[in-house]
Amino acid sequence: MKYIVANWKAHFNTTEMHNWLHTFSGLPLNKCGQNVEIILCPPLPFLSLVSDALYDPMIKVGVQNVSHFEQGTHTGEVTADMLDGVVDYAIIGHSERRLEYHETNEMIEKKCESALNAHIQPILCIRGKDDVIFEHVHFVAYEPIEAIGSGNNMSIEEVIAVKKTLNLSPDQNFIYGGSVKAENASEYLLSDEIDGVLVGGSTLDPHELFAIALSART
Ligand code: PGA
């Protein structure tokens, strides 16, 4: 299976979200083949809009974060157990959150544990081998900071070289993220070493996401 994670970050208003879904649901997703799973990670207010609009077994829905707290007096937080049954995946530890919200490895470990307890698969983002990889996590997304949003995707050779330093277990999927677009996605998606891509900017265009998914066809 190849996983394509669309991370929309803090983009879209309601009208734009509707337009995106309208366009995407008109595309022939069946052309992508059987071995592709697309994981859409919208901003929280659009979760149900996205799940309701796209009923296709190859599409899953994820969140971009969960709280490191359990339910309680934490104004503004969304805990993983609130999302149990609502989403299948959660992006956790994205470098933007590590930087802007000072997320530590300890907080990230709690988020991963809470997600797993709520039957949600964490997609743990790491910036390199110095970020901790927790053993029960099945999806590890390597996202070198200099490649994110810069247009400078890391070469497949370099990505594989980093993967070899991570000592992943056989049941951990390895995903690459950083300036992936339709033009370069097949480099990663056709490699046996890479189980998927985590894509930000390019996925704001539904045609571009579709083209990325098509490039995973074998
Ligand atoms: P990008 O973002 O595809 O826009 O580089 C990737 C990410 O930050 O997840």
Side-chain angles (χ1 to χ4, degrees), residues 7 9 94 96 143 147-149 178-180 198-201:
N7 177 13
K9 307 190 180 183
H94 193 282
E96 287 158 9
E143 297 207 301
I148 295 178
S179 295
V180 174
L198 201 171
V199 195

Side-chain angles (χ1 to χ4, degrees), residues 61-63 65-66 78-92 111-123 136-139:
V61 180
V63 282
N65 180 40
V66 295
V78 176
T79 65
D81 67 337
M82 294 172 187
L83 297 160
D84 189 351
V86 179
V87 296
D88 293 304
Y89 293 92
I91 296 173
I92 292 179
K111 288 170 187 245
C112 290
E113 274 171 10
S114 307
L116 288 166
N117 288 336
H119 315 102
I120 296 167
Q121 287 295 335
I123 300 168
H136 299 301
V137 161
H138 292 296
F139 293 85

Side-chain angles (χ1 to χ4, degrees), residues 96-108:
E96 287 158 9
R97 295 202 59 88
R98 290 181 193 255
L99 182 74
E100 293 171 8
Y101 301 96
H102 312 289
E103 287 190 1
T104 61
N105 278 317
E106 201 186 10
M107 289 158 78
I108 291 166

Side-chain angles (χ1 to χ4, degrees), residues 196-209:
V197 288
L198 201 171
V199 195
S202 301
T203 63
L204 299 177
D205 176 350
H207 296 283
E208 185 81 7
L209 175 60

